[in-house]
Amino acid sequence: MGGKLALILMAAGAGRRFNGDKLAAPFRGRPLWQQALETARLAAEGKNALLIPVTRIPGLFNSPGVIPVENLSPALGVSHTVRLGLKKAAELGADGAVFLVCDQPLLRPATLTRLMESHRPGMISCVRSGGVPGNPVLFDRAFFPELLALSGDRGGKAVMGRHPDRVLWVEAEAAEELWDIDRAEDMRKLEGFEKEKAPGENG
């Protein structure tokens, strides 16, 4: 890994399909946002990295070493969250930005670390499993102008789609790392999966 990377936590969505405050929903006894922040912290340990959550909830990420950015207009879509986080990352001199979602609680810090270490100038790195791309995604600073030009509910995958020859793939250690939570039943599924694996899990 070269240069400084910003880990941008996308934490401004309203969670409409979840029918409640998804960010605050408990998973393994901790809110989803806290789970995501801990994964980012562990992956960034000892590295030249910035933790930048973009959130609609003031004070949610009031934690040492975290640089929160408040999103006062989440209804403007994913692109607005991307722009807010990226502007802060650029202001702080980041050479690349990793976009993480907060509803992917089985993502392993080791996978995120490998994604960070894959950073190359002029390239995009994306986690995938079984040939299926997912999150998180890392963009070198060469793509910041395109990301800042996004509008509506278009996220970074739109930029990645324009540059298939610039994409480096990082394989997840396990398929479930890319599972996300849209609805309450997804939460129950992932919690059940963890209970089934826990007794015999070796890593």
Side-chain angles (χ1 to χ4, degrees):
M1 180 187 74
K4 182 190 296 184
L5 293 181
L7 302 182
I8 300 174
L9 277 68
M10 308 283 281
R16 294 183 185 87
R17 285 181 289 177
F18 192 79
N19 291 324
D21 189 348
K22 184 166 67 172
L23 287 174
F27 185 88
R28 299 183 197 163
R30 292 189 298 179
L32 280 175
W33 69 264
Q34 192 174 42
Q35 184 84 16
L37 180 61
E38 180 64 16
T39 296
R41 277 192 189 283
L42 290 171
E45 191 172 348
K47 294 179 174 56
N48 189 9
L50 306 162
L51 295 178
I52 306 177
V54 183
T55 177
R56 59 185 166 80
I57 305 173
L60 183 64
F61 292 89
N62 184 16
S63 181
V66 175
I67 307 161
V69 175
E70 190 174 356
N71 185 346
L72 298 175
S73 304
L76 293 178
V78 173
S79 64
H80 183 60
T81 302
V82 167
R83 287 195 302 274
L84 288 173
L86 201 58
K87 285 177 181 177
K88 177 58 70 173
E91 174 188 317
L92 296 172
D95 296 295
V98 180
F99 291 94
L100 301 115
V101 293
C102 286
D103 60 357
Q104 203 172 301
L106 301 185
L107 177 68
R108 299 178 184 180
T111 297
L112 179 54
T113 295
R114 286 191 293 112
L115 179 76
M116 295 169 68
E117 291 173 345
S118 76
H119 176 227
R120 300 291 183 274
M123 301 298 285
I124 300 167
S125 297
C126 180
V127 174
R128 70 177 179 182
S129 177
V132 179
N135 289 305
V137 184
L138 186 165
F139 293 88
D140 179 64
R141 65 184 303 158
F143 298 96
F144 285 9
E146 284 187 67
L147 290 165
L148 289 170
L150 291 170
S151 60
D153 248 354
R154 289 164 63 82
K157 291 287 177 62
V159 173
M160 190 174 84
R162 297 177 199 144
H163 305 281
D165 58 327
R166 298 284 194 89
V167 179
L168 302 173
W169 298 105
V170 175
E171 297 293 333
E173 295 180 7
E176 62 268 17
E177 293 188 71
L178 305 190
W179 294 352
D180 60 5
I181 294 171
D182 286 327
R183 300 173 175 82
E185 53 263 36
D186 297 331
M187 177 80 82
R188 291 190 289 271
K189 174 186 173 184
L190 266 64
E191 286 180 331
F193 178 83
E194 283 298 296
K195 289 175 183 175
E196 289 171 14
K197 282 195 68 175
E201 191 174 48
N202 295 316

